[in-house]
Amino acid sequence: MLAPTLVAVGIAYVFPIFQVLRWSLFDVDIGGGSDAFRGLDNYRAIFGSDEFWNAASVTLRYAGGVLFGTLVTGLAIASLLNQPLRGRGIARTLFLIPYAMPLVVIALIWRWMFDAQFGVINYGLVGTGVFDARVPWFSQPSTALPAMIAIQVWRMAPIATVLYLAGMQNIPHELKEAARIDGASSWQVFWHVTLPGLRGVTASLVLLLGVYLFGRTFEVILLITGGGPIGSTENLALQAYLRAFQFLDFGSASALSSIILAVTLILALAYLRIAPKAAAT
Amino acid sequence: MTAGSPLRMPRRPRSGPVWSRWIRGAVSYLLLGLGLTLAAFPLYWLLVNALQDPSLRFEYPPSILPKRPTLDAFAGVFERTDIAKWLLNTTIVAGATTGLTLLIGSTGAYALSRFPSRRITVAGFAILITQMMPPVILMIPLYRILLTLNLNDSYAGLVVANFVFLIPVVTWLLKSMFDAVPRDLEQAALVDGANRLQVISRITMPLALPGLIASGVFAFIESWQEFVFARALIRNDDLWVGSLGIASFFGFRTTPWNDVMVAALVFALPPLLLFLVFQRYFVAGLTGGVKG
């Protein structure tokens, strides 16, 4: 029937997982030689390595920063777009641009904008007096990750905006009217009526974006800093990639990938317990 | 508002005196403008740099408006870089991926939608899990499979890789679309004697078309910009897709900078245009899925 196609596709995912789990226990020889069994050595090596814990810290800060920035920005823009302003149709379209641009192009242009010597961002910051000197964004650990976070927020805000806008339009007018009649200010209406109504959207966003940010996104980082000055932008996903394709240690990469998958799974399950609204999607 | 009510209450301004509303309106416009600038500026900057005379590249401070604009790069980029080849390759790969994904995804999605079983919740959760996996998990086994099939370093290999990557989400999107098409319509037709295939082609598909378009656009955009698999699988220069080509410009080596910018612009244009044209469907699909 129609379902078998689905089953065939499922194999494309199930099989790799088991393959990777198996590999994580070996010292994989991609040259075609025999793999040497190492048991849990790969895992022990990872947990004992500084790189892993550094990457874990980076991942948490990165995911947290991007999530916060994206949600706040998305909420703010959606609030603006929810008002009957003129030209908001065009505005809504323009706000979606960041999502439609290819990753490599995003990396290219943002790298240039953040350039220490010639970048327009430094030009603006120094010109308006916010900073005294041009910031070497990607050369120092303290600014590399924030810059990456900014780029990703820019890229993901459209999704949050679209979802929040739809959510806002779903909130019954009568509720807001009732609050206003009772004398609530606009801010109070927002805080006590709109925001709670958007809880479901927020829950979904945190789950979907969080999962994505935790284990999957690393292309832009790979292209711009390759892990950043002293690993300050190396998140777990990037490290897994580097272990596999730079150090050619597939066993270690598999082990790390399994860890990432397991942690993401646990976090997602825990989250679904706390916020069942996210499960509605 | 009840139509035809004899007595229309005049609408009081809801939030204070007129001047306060005026200020709020102005602030809103201001903030909106600011937000728009931030959202669109990178694209604008791309354009400015593309038009700029290459000798001005290392000028500081950079000028917001193009100083000595020249269209030279737009003409020359096709000679001086391989952008044309990359565009062709990317179109082939993205197009094939989209077609394949829609075809198989819609059959699976239709099955999930019309023949409900416990499989659905399992499938939904499984899809979420697939999105949790670092791409590396998928890549290495896939690479080995393609290697044995001698498909690595070929269009087909990349298409398969992209397809595998996209199929869970696309199936999920399509299932939501199909869910939105009322079963009663199909049932009525079936009762009237139409067979399942006719029902699907005459009734379901036209109604699900917006969703199909949205999913197709999504699949196209994602496979257009796909980078990691391409880098792992493609060695042959002739098969480079756009993302690999643009990535080769990192390090600002010898290619004239405005050429680089034009190449990036040209590469970014198709998905941007597609998105802008079809964004209505896309947004509807996205929000429809969340509402469930």
Side-chain angles (χ1 to χ4, degrees), chain A residues 9 13 23 83 86 93-94 96 102-103 112 117-118 123 154 163 166 170 186 211 215-216 250 257 281, chain B residues 24 28-29 38 49 57-58 60-61 131-132 134 137 140 144 164-165 167 172 225 276 279 287 290-291:
Chain A
V9 162
Y13 274 90
W23 274 343
Q83 298 171 312
R86 249 180 304 171
T93 310
L94 284 174
L96 295 174
L103 281 171
W112 182 235
Q117 283 178 296
F118 307 107
Y123 172 55
W154 177 86
L163 290 176
N170 266 344
S186 294
V211 162
R216 252 196 160 181
F250 283 87
S257 302
T281 47
Chain B
R24 216 124 48 87
S28 293
Y29 273 110
L38 285 174
N49 275 271
R57 208 262 257 200
F58 290 114
Y60 190 83
Q131 299 305 300
M132 291 184 204
I137 282 193
I140 310 170
R144 296 252 288 227
V164 168
F165 210 54
I167 194 70
W172 179 252
Q225 69 175 348
L276 291 179
Q279 54 114 349
T287 52
V290 167
K291 282 188 234 160

Side-chain angles (χ1 to χ4, degrees), chain A residues 173-259:
Chain A
H173 269 292
E174 300 85 49
L175 273 156
K176 291 198 270 193
E177 289 285 342
R180 277 201 211 276
I181 292 177
D182 284 349
S185 72
S186 294
W187 181 249
Q188 287 173 315
V189 172
F190 182 76
W191 195 255
H192 294 288
V193 178
T194 316
L195 224 44
L198 291 173
R199 242 187 241 143
V201 179
T202 307
S204 311
L205 276 173
V206 170
L207 184 64
L208 294 174
L209 293 182
V211 162
Y212 181 73
L213 289 167
F214 198 82
R216 252 196 160 181
T217 172
F218 69 96
E219 292 96 339
V220 174
I221 302 180
L222 176 66
L223 284 170
I224 297 186
T225 61
I230 326 172
S232 57
T233 56
E234 186 176 297
N235 63 0
L236 288 171
L238 178 61
Q239 188 172 105
Y241 177 81
L242 290 175
R243 280 179 197 259
F245 290 98
Q246 200 174 74
F247 300 117
L248 298 177
D249 187 350
F250 283 87
S252 179
S254 304
L256 185 56
S257 302
S258 311
I259 296 175

Side-chain angles (χ1 to χ4, degrees), chain A residues 1-3 5-6 9 12-13 15-17 19-20 23 28-30 35 77 80-81 83-86 88-105 107-113 115 117-120 122-123 126 134 154-155 159 162-163 166 170 177 180 186 201 204 207-208 211-212 215-216 218-219 222-224 237 240-241 244-245 250 253-254 256-258 260-261 264-265 268-269 272 280-281, chain B residues 11 14-15 24-25 27-29 31-32 35-36 38-43 45-46 49 57-62 64 104 107-112 115 119 123 125 128-141 144-145 163-168 171-172 200 218 221-222 224-228 231-232 242-244 246-247 249-250 252 257 260-261 264-265 267-268 271-272 275-276 279 282-283 286-287 289-292:
Chain A
M1 234 198 0
L2 298 168
T5 49
L6 210 64
V9 162
Y13 274 90
F15 167 67
I17 293 185
Q19 180 73 290
V20 164
W23 274 343
V28 179
D29 184 357
I30 39 168
D35 305 336
I77 298 180
L80 284 174
L81 289 175
Q83 298 171 312
L85 300 170
R86 249 180 304 171
R88 71 169 171 169
I90 306 176
R92 206 164 46 188
T93 310
L94 284 174
F95 271 117
L96 295 174
I97 287 181
Y99 186 68
M101 283 179 70
L103 281 171
V104 274
V105 175
L108 191 69
I109 191 64
W110 276 96
R111 170 66 186 84
W112 182 235
M113 295 201 308
D115 190 72
Q117 283 178 296
F118 307 107
V120 64
N122 274 337
Y123 172 55
V126 173
R134 294 177 251 181
W154 177 86
R155 185 169 172 257
I159 305 176
V162 166
L163 290 176
N170 266 344
E177 289 285 342
R180 277 201 211 276
S186 294
V201 179
S204 311
L207 184 64
L208 294 174
V211 162
Y212 181 73
R216 252 196 160 181
F218 69 96
E219 292 96 339
L222 176 66
L223 284 170
I224 297 186
Y241 177 81
F245 290 98
F250 283 87
S254 304
L256 185 56
S257 302
S258 311
I260 297 176
L261 180 59
T264 316
L265 202 57
L269 282 172
L272 282 174
T281 47
Chain B
R11 297 252 249 126
R14 265 186 256 163
S15 36
R24 216 124 48 87
V27 167
S28 293
Y29 273 110
L31 287 175
L32 201 63
L36 271 176
L38 285 174
F41 186 76
L43 188 60
W45 199 237
L46 203 55
N49 275 271
R57 208 262 257 200
F58 290 114
E59 172 195 64
Y60 190 83
I64 302 291
I104 301 200
T107 51
Y110 188 77
L112 276 180
F115 305 113
R119 252 194 223 134
F125 199 65
L128 188 61
I129 296 184
T130 64
Q131 299 305 300
M132 291 184 204
M133 299 194 234
V136 181
I137 282 193
L138 210 50
M139 262 199 298
I140 310 170
R144 296 252 288 227
I145 295 176
F163 165 76
V164 168
F165 210 54
L166 288 172
I167 194 70
T171 309
W172 179 252
I200 296 180
F218 173 75
I221 293 181
E222 289 289 310
W224 181 271
Q225 69 175 348
E226 206 288 319
F227 172 67
V228 187
R231 185 175 251 197
S243 51
L244 292 178
I246 306 291
F249 291 135
F250 272 80
F252 313 137
W257 189 239
V260 172
M261 288 287 135
L265 199 60
F267 181 61
L272 263 174
F275 196 74
L276 291 179
Q279 54 114 349
F282 198 73
V283 170
L286 201 62
T287 52
V290 167
K291 282 188 234 160

